[in-house]
Amino acid sequence: MSKENVKKKVREILNSYLEINNHRKTTERFAILDAVYDLTGHFTLDELEKLLESQNFRVSRATLYNAMKLFIELRLVVRHRFIGQTKYEACYANGDHIHQICTVCGTVTGIYSEEILHAIEETKCKRFRKDGFSLYIYGVCSSCQASISRQRNKLKQQKQNKTDENR
Ligand SMILES: [Zn+2]
Ligand SMILES: [Zn+2]
């Protein structure tokens, strides 16, 4: 599905929800939803606010927060509680990806795995209809690994220098 089609589809979902529940159709909510689907990957509320500001849309934190809460209920957005930070992600037609989280710097990257997708598909759930999944793999990213080994080498070198001095 193209990005424009996805945006159209999610706007329809929001629109029909507001209609059914007799809520006012504020342009704010649609602007926020649009911005959410313009952002790719994981983002913070600050980043969303910045994007809206750049589009000359100033919304209060409370409005933003309430809109996100609604989008989560409508399953248009997922919230991740990553290490030390809360991030959001547009999830309609986003594909099921796996999150790699670095336990040192907190960086989150998404990967795709046919094997895991297949395994989840094949997994039988008990009295339950699966809609999607979320998976987190914890570990250390390559740049943190590099700095850890640099640190280690430095310590080793210092030790070596000391023993050399004592000779
Ligand atoms: Zn890292
Ligand atoms: Zn994600």
Side-chain angles (χ1 to χ4, degrees), residues 64-75:
L64 210 54
Y65 202 79
N66 286 332
M68 294 308 270
K69 215 178 129 204
L70 174 63
F71 299 161
I72 291 167
E73 278 170 26
L74 295 175
R75 304 186 41 109

Side-chain angles (χ1 to χ4, degrees), residues 118-137:
H118 188 71
I120 302 260
E121 240 165 63
E122 294 295 304
T123 303
K124 298 254 180 305
C125 293
K126 243 185 191 164
R127 295 163 177 253
F128 191 79
R129 190 198 73 209
K130 317 186 261 265
D131 282 336
F133 76 92
S134 179
L135 180 66
Y136 301 100
I137 299 176

Side-chain angles (χ1 to χ4, degrees), residues 24-42:
R24 275 197 312 136
K25 288 183 194 167
T26 58
T27 47
E28 267 174 353
R29 279 190 183 133
F30 288 94
I32 296 168
L33 186 62
D34 257 1
V36 162
Y37 276 81
D38 279 334
L39 287 163
T40 37
H42 314 113

Side-chain angles (χ1 to χ4, degrees), residues 102 104-107 140-141 143-144:
C102 175
V104 179
C105 67
T107 300
V140 183
C141 76
S143 63
C144 285

Side-chain angles (χ1 to χ4, degrees), residues 7-62:
K7 279 167 95 174
K8 214 175 117 200
K9 194 83 199 143
V10 294
R11 251 181 252 140
E12 278 168 20
I13 293 171
L14 176 60
N15 196 50
S16 60
Y17 168 84
L18 296 175
E19 246 164 42
I20 291 165
N21 293 283
N22 278 323
H23 286 316
R24 275 197 312 136
K25 288 183 194 167
T26 58
T27 47
E28 267 174 353
R29 279 190 183 133
F30 288 94
I32 296 168
L33 186 62
D34 257 1
V36 162
Y37 276 81
D38 279 334
L39 287 163
T40 37
H42 314 113
F43 58 87
T44 61
L45 278 192
D46 283 335
E47 285 161 347
L48 179 60
E49 204 170 19
K50 263 191 210 120
L51 177 64
L52 285 162
E53 265 171 28
S54 75
Q55 298 167 346
N56 283 318
F57 238 107
R58 282 194 176 271
V59 286
S60 71
R61 235 337 131 100

